[in-house]
Amino acid sequence: MSTKKAIHYLILIAIIATTYVFPAPEGLTNIGWHLAGIYIATIIAIILKAFPLPVILLAGVSLASIAIGIAPAEEWLDPKKNEMVKVALEEGEVLNGYKSGTTWLVFAAFAMSTAFVATGLGKRIAYLLIGAFGSTTLRLGYVNACLDLLISPAMPSVTARAGGIIFPIMNSVAVSLGSDPTTSPRKAGHYLLLNTYMVVKATGYLFLTAMAPNALALSLIAEVYKSKDIAINVGWMQWFLAASVPGLLCLFLTPLVVYVLYPPELKQLDNKAIAKKGLEELGPMTIREKTLLGLFVLAVLSWALGERIGIEEASTTAISVMTLLVVCGVVAWEDLLKNKGAWNTLIWYGGLLGISSVLAKAKFFAWLSQFLGEKLAFLGTEHGTLATVVVLFMSVAVRYLFASGGAYIAAMVPVFSAVGIVAGADPTLLALGLLFSNCYGGALTHYGSGPAPIIYGAGYTDIKSWWIVGAVFAFGNLLIHVTIGFAWWKALVGMGVL
């Protein structure tokens, strides 16, 4: 074992041991204190990359189960009712995250992601769009945006979308245009690939199913809100409606802003030849592609019209479509078994959700809200909008410190939710702002999320230009969301949609 690894282990052990050596803070249950130590150690392990993400969460789940199993029954003073209430937890409750509908929604959506790559439908759509609209480099940037917008509802992995479908196409287009990462990156490749990443960070929050951590962030915020007796009503359709106005505006501006900041040397290109070559390599459209296209449209319609047709759970649609993909022969079950991203997500997502649910039941989030409320009482609650803006600004700025969206969500979303509520932020504006900033905040750096190292590794983009474009993109999104977004969300609340 290396010295570095040994130090990491000691840090993680010390965090958990601290909650057993020192008494729980005033107002927090003992089991809540112990589970908080396990939760914090889990987040630190993710940041340190001590083990693969699924292994870390399995360890967290097992330790939380043991902590619950050996903990004596206890009571907790409910500050709202000023009476003692029993904290009842069972070992198996930590596994409840794996039976959550949102966990299976994300997992099942990965099946369609696999199908888009395996059948070649994603590439076919891309080349058709290039042939129809990509006559200039700027237009090619918009082709990128349109393609990602089309496939994002059914591909919760931004790494699969950007790294598996769009990056290979844009990289090959850059090469065909004579743009070399060493000698001539600014000819076309620099713009095309930088735009690819910014676009995927714009589409990632447009749909609940467009990015795997979206549903996790929603669940964590709901747990914090529940501790304050606040309900949040955001399903698939409500999410899209809330994101649509500010999100589509940001997506429309993205290719243009990147183009203005770093214009490519090559402005015109022979898009017909590029599209023709790509489509010839793919061959005629297959039955599998046509079936996938039909199921994709069916899934989106079901998610959009779920409440009207009686299918209110988005996970029901996702699992049904996943089954049909296999039954109709679009993908084989073996193909789904090989999708490591889907199974890894199932393990870490369900584990994190399970730990957060027992934390909530152990009154940790209720204590956190009360604790922060006492510490931030000097802020008052008369400036709710300002408080919301300040919290959202911090939620974006802190992303410079995180190389994992999952780690950021687990570590900071509950804290920012609690801080915002006690500071008087509007619950709906705060929740939607945090849900969306999680995605576009990851654009700041070349290590901000999964596809970043892939695109940066191509060699067309330098750190300086990435961080400049990332900052303009991320804080530009924030500005649009706290102005146009706030107005739109208030209108949706007034119409009874949220």
Side-chain angles (χ1 to χ4, degrees), residues 117-138:
V117 176
T119 62
L121 180 60
K123 288 186 177 181
R124 186 178 300 279
I125 295 173
Y127 284 122
L128 288 171
L129 290 172
I130 290 172
F133 306 108
S135 58
T136 67
T137 318
L138 178 58

Side-chain angles (χ1 to χ4, degrees), residues 144-213:
N144 190 334
C146 291
L147 170 63
D148 202 57
L149 178 63
L150 286 172
I151 64 178
S152 59
M155 294 190 75
S157 170
V158 292
T159 304
R161 291 206 311 274
I165 293 180
I166 302 173
F167 166 74
I169 293 173
M170 291 301 165
N171 190 52
S172 62
V173 168
V175 171
S176 68
L177 295 174
S179 182
D180 181 85
T182 303
T183 59
S184 55
R186 295 294 177 88
K187 188 173 184 179
H190 181 268
Y191 168 74
L192 292 177
L193 295 186
L194 197 52
N195 180 68
T196 295
Y197 185 71
M198 299 305 156
V199 160
V200 82
K201 302 311 297 181
T203 57
Y205 65 83
L206 276 171
F207 305 96
L208 176 61
T209 48
M211 193 173 72

Side-chain angles (χ1 to χ4, degrees), residues 396-421:
V396 175
V398 78
R399 287 305 303 273
Y400 279 112
L401 305 177
F402 287 87
S404 163
Y408 160 77
I409 288 174
M412 302 308 301
V413 164
V415 175
F416 284 138
S417 301
V419 168
I421 290 299

Side-chain angles (χ1 to χ4, degrees), residues 4 60 64 71 154 199 233 238 245 341 412 416 491:
K4 182 179 179 181
V199 160
N233 176 34
Q238 287 85 0
V245 171
M412 302 308 301
F416 284 138

